[in-house]
Amino acid sequence: MSHIRVRFAPSPTGYLHIGGLRTALYNYLFAKKNGGKFILRIEDTDQKRFVTGAIESLVRVMETMSLVPDEGVFLGGGKPIQKGDKGPYIQSERLDLYKKYAEELLANRKAYRCFCSPESLEALRAEQTANKQAPRYDKRCFTLTPDEIERKMAAGEQYVLRLNVDIARGDVIFNDLVRGEVKINAKDIDDQVLMKSDGFPTYHLANVVDDHLMEITHIIRGEEWLPSTPKHILLYEAFGWEMPEFAHIPLLLNPDKSKLSKRQGDVSVEDYLKKGYLKEALINFIALLGWNPGQGSTQEIFSLEELIQTFDLKNVHKAGAVFDLQKLNWMNAEYIKKLSVDDLYLAALSGNFLKKPLIKNAPSTAQTPEYLKRLLTIEQNRLAKLSDIGDNNQFFFVAQLSYDTDFLNWKQNSSVMTKEAIVKAREILSGLTDTEWFQKETLEKVLLDAAGEKRGDFLWPLRAALTGAEKSPSPFDVAWVLGKEESLKRIEDALKMLG
Ligand code: GLU
């Protein structure tokens, strides 16, 4: 058994960001590939950002996406439950631990109390900016004497704990598994707040303490956390703890190369699921945002199992990855094509895509499972997402079509010719039994034979009568979906219009 342990450590914001899904996925793949453990930890120490039900919805989406952790937070009876011997895995339940470790740093002078008010910090920042210096805390509280500290505390002055960065330490260097050597000078690292005045830890302290106590070996996270890593390294050093490996995965970008944002499209996994993207397609697509199989492979379609086999941090790119919706649509369409019609129907049913007003308001005969499965058979190869079902073929769901009589005429044909064609179609179709009708090939063959050489003369009026639409699948397919009774009704309606 490998000792590899990785974690996904989201802050519960109420939804799972597509970038979070990718971070979770890469951690999951890395763990599974290497026989390690994947841990889900909830980082909820920022009380200002508390959202009710956020943990539940996060865990639920992770489960939906099949990214189930080995340890950490799960759902039991709809509520968060925790499994594993390194818990609790919810940071707000670990406050005593952070306090204990903060006190250890304080005792070793690796951290110090800072009593500066927000106003004086603001003034300091303004002064530094005016002097064209990078804003950083000037350590003025580091030199407070024990007496001064005691007096301030006795007077009830609020304070935070800051990391005591030793500027003389020089470069902080680490080897990122994606980005290679990263170097930053200690003079460019601020004396980071570790404990806030309300007794809550900041992200930095809680994250490092937990990664250590939970024996995390590899920290795989988004590039936006790269600037935090030198601070974390100083913390590991301050505690004298063994350093984990780091891998920072590239930013997700909008097509215009700006950071992926809500303004340019959906960013939550839930939004994509709601639109009818299949979870397998989403996982596949997300996996390729920042990673490729390497070795000249051009494979693009991967099952989760194949991703586990193929995934390697070596093949994660440094450059930002553009979120290309068209590619997602293409990929989703590929996954939809691969489903059996029964599975497609079940996916559509369970995702509530058959409850849209178009279908819900249709005659009951157009809502039966058999009818909808025939529709899906026809649409399957053209669907980009499940929410598109029926949208391009609305005529399948209306009780009464509306079109101009002229619409029934093929090119310059007269309405007499059109009527002849439709009468002929009525004759042929009414002669079919239901069993013959629902053999798609039989229906097609009978109509094609009847059409003879000049197909348009016969097939256009029939298709027009059945759909009333400029564009639609072939008349055979349409008739097959509609069934005998409804098809003949539409034909009669057309004949009535023709007089
Ligand atoms: N809580 C951080 C987040 O929301 C975790 C970052 C990390 O993985 O260290 O993404």
Side-chain angles (χ1 to χ4, degrees):
M1 200 59 194
S2 114
H3 73 295
I4 283 181
R5 292 171 61 82
V6 294
R7 75 338 185 244
F8 175 49
S11 300
T13 52
Y15 67 91
L16 179 58
H17 192 281
I18 220 78
L21 175 69
R22 190 197 45 176
T23 303
L25 176 64
Y26 284 13
N27 276 284
Y28 176 89
L29 296 175
F30 183 74
K32 298 295 151 190
K33 167 84 183 265
N34 296 296
K37 292 259 188 291
F38 172 57
I39 292 139
L40 175 62
R41 179 173 79 223
I42 302 294
E43 302 209 330
D44 62 342
T45 57
D46 190 348
Q47 294 293 298
K48 283 195 288 289
R49 288 168 60 191
F50 181 81
V51 183
T52 332
I55 300 182
E56 288 87 334
S57 64
L58 193 133
V59 178
R60 200 167 300 121
V61 183
M62 296 272 296
E63 280 182 7
T64 306
M65 300 308 288
S66 306
L67 301 182
V68 179
D70 300 297
E71 264 174 49
V73 184
F74 298 77
L75 281 185
K79 290 270 153 260
I81 54 167
Q82 303 184 43
K83 290 185 216 161
D85 58 4
K86 305 264 185 298
Y89 295 89
I90 299 179
Q91 287 191 328
S92 57
E93 297 175 18
R94 300 171 63 84
L95 298 179
D96 288 347
L97 277 167
Y98 308 131
K99 205 169 272 166
K100 173 178 153 224
Y101 284 99
E103 270 157 21
E104 183 182 322
L105 292 178
L106 196 58
N108 298 334
R109 306 260 305 155
K110 304 286 189 192
Y112 61 96
R113 291 189 180 88
C114 169
F115 295 87
C116 290
S117 64
E119 296 74 30
S120 70
L121 291 173
E122 187 43 51
L124 173 66
R125 203 169 303 133
E127 190 188 313
Q128 287 170 331
T129 315
N131 292 335
K132 303 220 164 22
Q133 294 165 332
R136 71 191 323 272
Y137 183 60
D138 64 359
K139 267 187 152 61
R140 67 179 72 158
C141 284
F142 182 60
T143 48
L144 290 174
T145 64
D147 279 353
E148 283 170 314
I149 294 173
E150 210 160 295
R151 230 176 300 130
K152 282 176 180 290
M153 286 175 67
E157 274 189 47
Q158 300 260 319
Y159 64 89
V160 300
L161 284 194
R162 284 185 184 274
L163 175 66
N164 176 22
V165 177
D166 174 14
I167 293 180
R169 184 194 176 291
D171 287 336
V172 176
I173 302 173
F174 67 97
N175 182 48
D176 188 280
L177 295 175
V178 173
R179 315 189 63 82
E181 185 181 280
V182 180
K183 186 154 74 175
I184 177 162
N185 197 279
K187 73 174 176 5
D188 297 320
I189 304 175
D190 205 1
D191 281 7
Q192 184 64 50
V193 174
L194 301 176
M195 284 293 251
K196 294 178 270 187
S197 53
D198 59 6
F200 277 79
T202 57
Y203 153 70
H204 305 283
L205 178 68
N207 189 268
V208 167
V209 166
D210 287 351
D211 284 341
H212 171 71
L213 295 179
M214 295 179 186
E215 295 174 13
I216 303 302
T217 57
H218 293 72
I219 294 179
I220 304 170
R221 64 183 167 205
E223 190 185 313
E224 61 272 30
W225 301 99
L226 188 61
S228 300
T229 306
K231 299 171 187 174
H232 297 183
I233 289 183
L234 293 180
L235 274 170
Y236 280 100
E237 286 179 1
F239 284 118
W241 290 340
E242 194 187 330
M243 209 79 71
E245 300 276 3
F246 291 95
H248 289 89
I249 60 183
L251 292 178
L252 294 185
L253 307 175
N254 293 309
D256 69 1
K257 302 283 162 80
S258 59
K259 200 173 158 198
L260 188 68
S261 69
K262 258 190 196 157
R263 252 168 294 134
Q264 299 200 24
D266 294 317
V267 290
S268 88
V269 177
E270 292 90 325
D271 285 337
Y272 287 93
L273 291 172
K274 264 189 222 135
K275 289 208 165 132
Y277 290 96
L278 304 180
K279 66 175 195 187
E280 294 82 0
L282 270 175
I283 289 277
N284 189 158
F285 173 72
I286 292 291
L288 293 170
L289 287 180
W291 169 85
N292 67 46
Q295 290 171 331
S297 164
T298 51
Q299 183 177 350
E300 294 214 273
I301 301 292
F302 292 89
S303 65
L304 188 57
E305 203 41 55
E306 286 172 311
L307 286 172
I308 293 172
Q309 299 309 327
T310 328
F311 186 77
D312 192 330
L313 281 174
K314 273 203 227 76
N315 293 325
V316 173
H317 323 153
K318 278 191 229 170
V322 174
F323 188 99
D324 177 355
L325 190 61
Q326 272 181 359
K327 179 156 181 196
L328 172 59
N329 284 338
W330 166 78
M331 194 169 274
N332 201 49
E334 292 300 305
Y335 276 85
I336 288 178
K337 279 183 212 161
K338 280 198 292 190
L339 294 175
S340 69
V341 172
D342 285 335
D343 286 346
L344 176 57
Y345 174 76
L346 285 180
L349 189 70
S350 63
N352 272 332
F353 297 104
L354 302 176
K355 288 258 158 57
K356 49 162 59 172
L358 172 71
I359 300 178
K360 221 171 51 195
N361 300 331
S364 58
T365 47
Q367 296 189 42
T368 65
E370 296 74 28
Y371 189 93
L372 293 169
K373 281 184 194 175
R374 290 198 299 275
L375 169 83
L376 290 173
T377 308
I378 299 304
E379 289 200 331
Q380 182 164 23
N381 283 340
R382 295 191 202 99
L383 283 180
K385 51 191 190 299
L386 299 182
S387 60
D388 295 341
I389 290 172
D391 284 358
N392 289 328
N393 298 310
Q394 307 220 357
F395 52 82
F396 280 125
F397 299 99
V398 295
Q400 198 65 52
L401 299 179
S402 89
Y403 52 85
D404 292 336
T405 318
D406 284 351
F407 177 65
L408 294 166
N409 299 336
W410 171 245
K411 294 192 173 160
Q412 308 305 325
N413 284 357
S414 66
S415 55
V416 175
M417 283 177 78
T418 299
K419 195 170 169 183
E420 268 175 33
I422 299 182
V423 167
K424 183 171 165 191
R426 176 177 63 183
E427 196 184 303
I428 293 165
L429 290 176
S430 53
L432 293 177
T433 63
D434 260 353
T435 321
E436 285 165 334
W437 192 285
F438 289 126
Q439 282 158 2
K440 211 153 146 284
E441 301 73 32
T442 310
L443 191 59
E444 176 163 353
K445 188 174 179 313
V446 167
L447 289 172
L448 275 180
D449 286 350
E453 293 282 284
K454 295 178 108 189
R455 286 190 175 186
D457 289 350
F458 179 68
L459 294 179
W460 172 273
L462 173 60
R463 201 189 63 75
L466 294 176
T467 67
E470 208 59 69
K471 283 201 183 113
S472 78
S474 74
F476 332 115
D477 286 349
V478 174
W480 181 69
V481 175
L482 290 173
K484 187 173 174 183
E485 198 180 316
E486 179 63 18
S487 298
L488 287 172
K489 178 193 163 286
R490 293 185 181 195
I491 287 172
E492 289 303 338
D493 288 347
L495 288 173
K496 260 182 236 147
M497 281 177 75
L498 288 162

